[in-house]
Amino acid sequence: MTYITGFERLLNIEEDGGKGHHLKQLTAFGFNVPEGVVVGASFYRENYPAPPAFTYEDEAKLGEQCEEMAEKVSSMPLPEAFASELREHLHRFPAETRYAVRSSSTYEDLAGAAFAGQHETFLNVTADEVAEKVRECFASLWQKHAVLYRRYQGFSQEGASMAVVIQRMIAAETAGVAFSVDPVSGNLDYVLVEGNYGVGESVVGGEAVTDSWVVDTSQGRIVERRVSEKEYYVVPAERGVKTRLLPPEYRETPCLSDEQILEIAGVAKKIEREFQTPQDIEWAYADGRLYILQARPQTTIPPRFTRDESAERFPEPLTPLTWSYVEDAFNASLEHSLRLMNVHLPTRPWFALRNCYVYGNQNAVRLLALNKPIELRTVDTLVDELTFIEEKFRWVMELPNAWMRDLDTYLIRVGKLGAVSFDGFSAPDFQRYFKELFSTAKEYFLPNIAISMTQGFLTRTLFEYIAAVKGDLYEAQTMLKQIITASGTKTGQINRELYELAKEAKRTPELMSLLAEGGKRALAGLDRFPDFAASFRSFIDNYGHREISFDYYKPTWAEAPEVVLDLIHLAATSGKQEKAGKKEKLGKMVSLKATQELLELSPKSLRYFVNELVRLTLTYTYIDDLEHFQTTRVNLLARRAVGALGTKLVNAGQLTDPYDLFFLVKEELESIDSFELSAEMREKIALRKEAYLRAYEQEPTWDLTKEGEGMPTGENDGEESEGLLRGIPGSPGECEGVIYVVRGPEDFANMPDQAILVARTTNPAWTPLFYKAKGLITESGGPLSHGAVTAREVGIPAVMCVRGALKRFKTGERVRLDGRRGHVHRTSVQTRTPAP
């Protein structure tokens, strides 16, 4: 059997080990990598004994076991057939070649475990010494620190194996490392380059003084320099390498020119794009050429918290209780989902709460966008990858069925929890209820982030494929939109039923007059219209858990049905509802036709794959919406339970408002063991409620990394010229009209026809407003946000992410919108609010 392969032959990581696999990939990608070979890990597995059962509790005993295992491995001679094969490979290099012999464990250089420095590397090795160094690399698998590192990372000792890289040694004039993302600042556009004269051991070891630079690759310039007084450098010796004093004239001289620094940074970003994740890279210059000696994933990157993504999902301040429960469930789902998807995310956490506003880790968002499950370079390369794709993404096909099966269990448990009466509950009874409710929600939510991410990945892959066969991005966007229209969502179903109620209301002028007085007054007089009231109650029974706000602190439709009556009135008075209904009916026909066209454009060998890609994209689009709909069933139950406990505390004279318990966090709520609160807890509630209410009056800082630095908080802060504000294009078209600011459902009823809607963001429950709006401006979101997508569907222009829009604009002000360019022009201000 052949155990040794050249860098040109790419095998899997289980055979080549982490280091060897990445070097082969770098070679395949076309980077300048010194030639070499890899001794496959199967050689070690087939020729060396299994490790003992290590005694981790006794450190001295563990040390003895590791030494014995390493000695056993290093003392075993290499089989003659293998030694002969190794000599044959080395004879292909010039006789004077020196080598770097490097361990390449099958657990090494992984996304979540670098194993940096855990195993042996030998530099400047002669051909006669290579076999001995290979044995020493094998033995280094059992060094005590390597054994403990594997245990800490959760790897099996029995499953550990070792490949070995044998690579032509570069006589480096300068060498060092580069991080494709600056590991200190976390700025994804910044590359950190470190270097020194000689070979790279003085840099990699981390003990010597080195030069370093930070390069802003978005601008192609060096933004930070640190040229140090270097004392030592490492050079090749007769055998191995040695440390020497650096000549005085070089000590304060930069080891790299600006051109070389920029070249390293540029190559680092190219490597990052190929591997689709930030990389820790070893490089060297010899004879004026840049060589790449190694690349492995960066394991940790600092977060960068902004409102870029979270402003769309969490537009308003959140109460501490809601956030503490949501964050716990979200983090569990994120880790579960990333493992399921085999995606590494080197930055944590995903969210942070500051001054009652949720901030998202923008580094996490951008790094996930780097990840392309399917690298669609050309249609032809996709044909070659079909077998690999089917095996790697089998879970994508299995997850929807598993999720739908588990949904039944969740709904049964939620149904039982919803039937509970709190009348005779003691404080411990409430604690048991909270824990069961949270356990039910958390277990159900585990795969839901994977569903959302996969929906995004599938949609992006389908778009890239359409673009590849159509050859035009605009046509690809149009076809993708046509295909997606057949997904059918729960939100669409709810909106259709709401419009049926609107049609029913329009048949009775007296009812329309009542609805025009506002939802609260209409609710009180609804019994005068028994048929409509029965239909309305059925609608609330089915969809009463629909949230008005993400925060459990705010009532759902069931507790605030007047909001739904306002939406029905909006739908009934909208002139666009018939158009919306017709589009819904045509959707499936349009989708079928577009899918058929795409299949006809595809090679026969890809048609099954393309059909499955379309089917899965539609499936995930549907269940992505459905999982949100089902998740919000918890909102109503959580609010009812907290309110019931709060009512008992109000009756005991401990609170003035039962829902003030939302100003505790999860651990504090779950510590209440009687209907009496400590003075400290009551004080916390009061202070946090005050901060929460104050947050509503404040505009949150957009980027926390710039907070307190005297720097602008975002590119869209302030007017760039008189009368002009810039945002992000959301829906094309131009219009001019009068502003109507909507801060929440309380503003729905007075929405005038053909006004320009201004909001922090929108959600599916706001859809009827779009049919009365002439245009849309939001403080957050982008082209794929709910507001932008819905605006395009109903054909109104939209400008997204105009920071501070709720404060900048006043109801009655007149503006002109350019949705294609993302511009909002002030024209004049009316002196009175437009009549509804």
Side-chain angles (χ1 to χ4, degrees):
M1 177 179 177
T2 299
Y3 294 104
I4 304 173
T5 55
F7 282 5
E8 72 286 348
R9 186 181 172 193
L10 184 63
L11 303 177
N12 55 44
I13 201 166
E14 289 76 16
E15 181 63 11
D16 288 331
K19 191 178 281 87
H21 188 65
H22 293 146
L23 283 168
K24 288 185 174 185
Q25 286 180 301
L26 286 164
T27 301
F29 291 144
F31 294 101
N32 189 28
V33 177
E35 315 90 277
V37 297
V38 176
V39 177
S42 58
F43 175 79
Y44 181 90
R45 282 191 289 266
E46 293 173 15
N47 289 277
Y48 292 88
F54 290 113
T55 308
Y56 301 108
E57 299 77 16
D58 186 334
E59 191 169 337
K61 176 65 174 175
L62 175 64
E64 291 175 6
Q65 290 175 315
C66 291
E67 286 181 15
E68 289 174 5
M69 186 63 189
E71 174 61 28
K72 183 184 296 184
V73 170
S74 63
S75 63
M76 291 178 63
L78 298 175
E80 180 52 39
F82 172 81
S84 175
E85 182 185 353
L86 180 59
R87 287 192 295 271
E88 182 181 336
H89 277 278
L90 296 181
H91 285 156
R92 297 171 187 172
F93 293 88
E96 68 279 7
T97 300
R98 294 293 182 103
Y99 301 92
V101 181
R102 313 168 77 186
S103 302
S104 181
S105 163
T106 50
Y107 294 152
E108 190 171 340
D109 289 356
L110 303 179
F115 276 85
Q118 298 300 320
H119 305 119
E120 293 292 354
T121 288
F122 303 96
L123 301 179
N124 201 36
V125 175
T126 65
D128 292 339
E129 298 171 313
V130 167
E132 176 192 346
K133 300 306 180 188
V134 168
R135 287 203 310 273
E136 292 186 41
C137 285
F138 288 156
S140 72
L141 192 63
W142 305 110
Q143 293 179 120
K144 180 180 174 183
H145 54 77
V147 169
L148 289 173
Y149 188 92
R150 280 195 294 275
R151 184 170 187 255
Y152 174 79
Q153 292 288 348
F155 293 123
S156 141
Q157 304 294 351
E158 294 76 11
S161 187
M162 180 68 76
V164 179
V165 171
I166 304 165
Q167 188 175 20
R168 180 170 65 86
M169 180 77 183
I170 298 297
E173 297 138 12
T174 56
V177 298
F179 294 92
S180 69
V181 170
D182 180 5
V184 179
S185 71
N187 189 320
L188 300 191
D189 295 323
Y190 283 10
V191 172
L192 174 65
V193 178
E194 288 196 64
N196 194 8
Y197 293 102
V199 299
E201 285 304 285
S202 64
V203 183
V204 175
E207 297 178 2
V209 175
T210 62
D211 295 336
S212 68
W213 301 265
V214 176
V215 179
D216 183 347
T217 55
S218 68
Q219 299 185 29
R221 65 186 183 93
I222 301 168
V223 295
E224 187 178 320
R225 301 171 185 268
R226 191 189 71 200
V227 178
S228 305
E229 185 177 352
K230 302 171 288 296
E231 190 174 358
Y232 300 98
Y233 71 133
V234 177
V235 294
E238 184 177 346
R239 288 180 179 273
V241 294
K242 62 181 179 180
T243 300
R244 295 179 56 182
L245 286 171
L246 195 63
E249 63 271 24
Y250 291 99
R251 292 187 180 183
E252 296 185 37
T253 303
C255 65
L256 292 171
S257 68
D258 284 5
E259 292 75 17
Q260 289 173 320
I261 295 162
L262 293 173
E263 181 183 17
I264 294 168
V267 169
K269 280 300 181 188
K270 288 179 181 177
I271 294 173
E272 177 185 88
R273 286 193 294 272
E274 292 291 357
F275 283 102
Q276 300 179 16
T277 191
Q279 295 289 301
D280 170 358
I281 299 155
E282 292 183 21
W283 55 267
Y285 269 104
D287 298 323
R289 295 189 68 194
L290 174 63
Y291 291 86
I292 302 302
L293 308 180
Q294 180 179 329
R296 62 187 177 206
Q298 282 185 240
T299 54
T300 55
I301 291 171
R304 175 179 164 246
F305 290 113
T306 78
R307 293 278 291 159
D308 288 356
E309 298 293 324
S310 59
E312 171 74 13
R313 192 179 307 181
F314 311 108
E316 301 172 329
L318 285 187
T319 53
L321 188 64
T322 293
W323 180 244
S324 58
Y325 275 102
V326 167
E327 185 179 33
D328 191 338
F330 187 96
N331 288 338
S333 176
L334 179 65
E335 301 305 327
H336 174 89
S337 297
L338 291 175
R339 286 193 299 272
L340 177 65
M341 301 168 70
N342 194 29
V343 171
H344 172 62
L345 188 64
T347 183
R348 297 289 193 284
W350 189 280
F351 289 116
L353 193 69
R354 299 287 186 275
N355 299 323
C356 301
Y357 281 96
V358 178
Y359 287 80
N361 182 352
Q362 191 62 16
N363 279 351
V365 174
R366 288 184 58 185
L367 292 175
L368 278 175
L370 276 177
N371 187 278
K372 293 185 176 181
I374 299 174
E375 188 62 38
L376 208 162
R377 299 175 188 273
T378 66
V379 173
D380 291 338
T381 59
L382 186 59
V383 174
D384 297 334
E385 293 183 31
L386 285 182
T387 303
F388 160 79
I389 290 170
E390 183 180 357
E391 185 61 34
K392 182 178 180 182
F393 298 107
R394 189 177 303 279
W395 65 268
V396 176
M397 294 178 277
E398 295 171 350
L399 180 57
N401 289 336
W403 183 83
M404 291 297 292
R405 178 200 65 214
D406 295 340
L407 176 62
D408 291 339
T409 303
Y410 165 74
L411 292 176
I412 290 169
R413 292 175 69 180
V414 163
K416 289 180 179 178
L417 289 164
V420 169
S421 170
F422 300 114
D423 290 344
F425 263 39
S426 65
D429 290 334
F430 278 106
Q431 298 308 332
R432 284 190 287 273
Y433 185 90
F434 290 139
K435 288 175 182 175
E436 185 176 354
L437 177 60
F438 180 63
S439 172
T440 297
K442 187 175 181 179
E443 184 178 329
Y444 156 75
F445 194 69
L446 276 177
N448 289 12
I449 291 177
I451 289 171
S452 295
M453 288 184 181
T454 305
Q455 192 275 336
F457 289 150
L458 287 167
T459 303
R460 188 171 67 190
T461 301
L462 180 57
F463 171 74
E464 290 177 353
Y465 178 78
I466 296 171
V469 296
K470 295 282 283 186
D472 183 278
L473 291 179
Y474 179 77
E475 289 185 17
Q477 289 174 337
T478 302
M479 178 174 276
L480 177 65
K481 181 181 176 182
Q482 291 170 338
I483 290 172
I484 294 294
T485 56
S487 60
T489 61
K490 200 70 176 178
T491 298
Q493 176 185 330
I494 294 169
N495 287 334
R496 287 194 299 275
E497 292 188 31
L498 190 143
Y499 275 109
E500 289 302 316
L501 286 171
K503 287 180 182 179
E504 187 176 343
K506 285 178 72 174
R507 290 194 288 268
T508 309
E510 294 86 355
L511 175 57
M512 287 296 293
S513 296
L514 178 64
L515 291 173
E517 295 179 19
K520 288 188 176 179
R521 296 193 66 177
L523 192 63
L526 213 58
D527 288 344
R528 289 189 283 131
F529 307 95
D531 291 343
F532 178 84
S535 299
F536 178 71
R537 280 193 295 270
S538 176
F539 182 87
I540 294 298
D541 286 344
N542 290 332
Y543 308 122
H545 62 280
R546 194 75 168 181
E547 83 278 22
I548 295 170
S549 165
F550 180 87
D551 201 337
Y552 301 164
Y553 182 55
K554 303 289 182 68
T556 65
W557 280 0
E559 293 181 294
E562 66 274 10
V563 172
V564 183
L565 289 173
D566 285 335
L567 290 172
I568 291 169
H569 182 253
L570 282 168
T573 55
S574 167
K576 297 181 182 178
Q577 68 184 82
E578 294 303 322
K579 180 181 177 182
K582 290 176 183 177
K583 286 178 68 174
E584 183 71 33
K585 293 177 183 178
L586 291 172
K588 290 190 177 180
M589 292 177 58
V590 170
S591 176
L592 186 62
K593 183 178 178 181
T595 302
Q596 189 60 42
E597 180 187 347
L598 181 61
L599 290 171
E600 290 172 358
L601 290 170
S602 302
K604 287 185 179 180
S605 56
L606 281 178
R607 287 179 184 173
Y608 175 78
F609 166 79
V610 173
N611 195 63
E612 280 295 284
L613 178 60
V614 169
R615 182 185 69 80
L616 287 168
T617 302
L618 294 176
T619 298
Y620 272 86
T621 299
Y622 172 75
I623 66 172
D624 185 35
D625 180 79
L626 180 60
E627 67 87 1
H628 173 78
F629 172 79
Q630 302 293 11
T631 298
T632 57
R633 292 186 183 277
V634 175
N635 293 40
L636 181 60
L637 300 185
R639 181 172 160 82
R640 283 178 176 172
V642 171
L645 174 58
T647 298
K648 290 183 180 290
L649 290 166
V650 169
N651 294 337
Q654 301 295 299
L655 292 175
T656 57
D657 183 337
Y659 296 106
D660 279 353
L661 288 176
F662 276 95
F663 298 101
L664 298 175
V665 296
K666 176 176 180 284
E667 293 74 18
E668 292 166 345
L669 179 74
E670 293 178 354
S671 72
I672 297 175
D673 55 6
S674 70
F675 297 133
E676 184 175 347
L677 299 178
S678 67
E680 180 186 5
M681 190 171 283
R682 291 198 300 271
E683 183 180 4
K684 283 181 179 179
I685 289 172
L687 291 173
R688 290 172 185 169
K689 186 173 184 178
E690 181 183 350
Y692 171 82
L693 295 174
R694 190 168 56 246
Y696 262 96
E697 304 303 318
Q698 298 172 341
E699 186 67 25
T701 300
W702 198 264
D703 187 340
L704 290 186
T705 61
K706 298 176 181 178
E707 189 176 30
E709 299 178 9
M711 299 175 70
T713 57
E715 64 180 1
N716 297 320
D717 288 355
E719 297 179 19
E720 296 190 5
S721 61
E722 188 176 354
L724 170 65
L725 288 97
R726 298 176 185 273
I728 295 174
S731 177
E734 297 182 34
C735 72
E736 183 173 328
V738 175
I739 291 289
Y740 183 74
V741 176
V742 177
R743 288 180 169 80
E746 66 276 9
D747 298 317
F748 286 2
N750 295 322
M751 171 81 176
D753 199 27
Q754 295 299 288
I756 293 176
L757 171 63
V758 174
R760 285 187 185 274
T761 186
T762 65
N763 66 43
W766 290 36
T767 302
L769 276 70
F770 284 76
Y771 297 113
K772 295 197 77 172
K774 193 175 187 179
L776 173 70
I777 301 170
T778 63
E779 285 192 342
S780 63
L784 297 180
S785 64
H786 168 267
V789 171
T790 306
R792 291 195 295 271
E793 287 178 354
V794 301
I796 61 173
V799 179
M800 327 306 292
C801 208
V802 178
R803 308 272 170 81
L806 265 66
K807 287 191 175 182
R808 296 184 188 280
F809 297 111
K810 291 180 173 57
T811 294
E813 183 178 357
R814 195 169 187 85
V815 298
R816 186 170 68 255
L817 241 63
D818 184 339
R820 184 181 64 82
R821 299 172 68 189
H823 289 179
V824 181
H825 300 264
R826 297 183 189 273
T827 55
S828 64
V829 180
Q830 292 189 354
T831 57
R832 62 186 180 87
T833 301

